[in-house]
Amino acid sequence: MAHKVTYIPGDGIGPEVVEAAREVIDATGVKIEWERADAGAEVEVRTGSNLPDATIEQIARSGVALKGPTATAVGRGSRSANVGLRKALDLYANLRPVKSIPGIKSRYENVDLVVVRENTEGLYSGLEHIVVPGVVEAIKIVTERASTRIARFAFEYARRHKRKKVTVVHKANIMKLSDGLFLESARNVARNYSDIEFEDVIVDALCTKLVLDPSQFDVLLLENLYGDIISDLCAGLVGGLGVVGGANIGDTAAVFEAVHGTAPDIAGKGVANPTAVLLSAEMMLLHLGEHEAAARLRGAIEKVLGEGKVRTRDLGGTATLREYVDALKAALA
Ligand code: NAI
């Protein structure tokens, strides 16, 4: 039976890379019935909303979406469609596997770790206000419920994917109550997973350790702000945002999307790199239980990039998006 998957083209290079990704995913042989939904700046111009109710309802129905990047204005305008989606569907876990790809130049060759980020609270709760002119207060929310839920997610993920260790990241030496609660919740959950090693590390020390020797980490568990920053640092360990996938996952729905933006400078030119969307699609296939198709997709990406003959410009090559997609499809054939 075909899986029903919602796809959201998004803005900028979104439509090009999502279309390319659908073509390559279909070439793995997996049966997917694609249903389109819209989000982002383009649909906002047409309908007045960057996240129409129909889009949320459709993802809630299908349970799985592949999303292109959507544009958000800085410091003004509507709330980002991504934040809206996370809230509407309670996508509380942000997941980013970070794995070296043969042939992609980076400082390390064998990075293989997973960043699990709490997606719903912390300093990203959107609670900011002007106390008096010149003084702004931002409120960091930490609840035992959300901290426990994300810790469980990290341990369950570790167990399912045969990972050995979960490292919880915090600054509880300074933020004793807020980060203290996040740490304590993780410790409580860890007691139920004696098969998985558990440790904690202070976020600044983590940065040093990560850049010196990323192989000492396996699954990293972080609250929202640290998770946002550290997940980009980790992407840098394997070659940048163009070569990692990501997902926002809840109990009833999951949205898979590349972590890069809409790349307005190259949109519509046919030179964008769909690798990040494809790596998100690999995660999506695993989520759907399509392990063989996921492995074939990863294999094709590693083969083409490893050979180094067909690469898009951002990876130092000259290939167009079309040429890269054709090379991936040939590798899958
Ligand atoms: P960006 O990631 O769009 O672009 C940064 C640089 O990376 C640009 O030079 C761009 O050409 C290049 N780049 C990004 N993705 C690429 C790809 N797949 N292939 C080749 N080159 C690629 O970041 P920027 O400029 O900060 O953001 C632009 C817009 O994207 C903003 O409106 C922002 O809000 C939005 N954005 C959306 C995200 C999402 O929907 N998940 C995530 C990040 C940004």
Side-chain angles (χ1 to χ4, degrees), residues 11 13 17 67-74 80-82 86 241-242 248 257-267 271-277 312-315:
D11 301 313
I13 59 169
V17 289
K67 178 184 168 294
T70 42
T72 312
V74 175
S80 108
N82 290 325
R86 282 172 207 170
L241 296 180
N248 292 302
E257 68 173 329
V259 291
H260 59 69
T262 59
D265 50 335
I266 57 165
V271 296
N273 184 358
T275 302
V277 179
T312 45
R313 290 195 321 206
D314 55 304
L315 295 180

Side-chain angles (χ1 to χ4, degrees), residues 283-303:
M283 297 167 71
M284 181 183 88
L285 291 173
L286 289 171
H287 180 84
L288 292 170
E290 295 287 354
H291 295 260
E292 203 188 309
R296 291 189 73 215
L297 177 59
R298 174 124 204 146
I301 295 168
E302 290 191 347
K303 181 164 185 278

Side-chain angles (χ1 to χ4, degrees), residues 7-11 13-19 36-39 66-70:
Y7 73 99
I8 301 175
D11 301 313
I13 59 169
E16 302 164 61
V17 289
V18 169
E19 209 48 48
R36 178 182 168 141
D38 289 310
L66 184 65
K67 178 184 168 294
T70 42

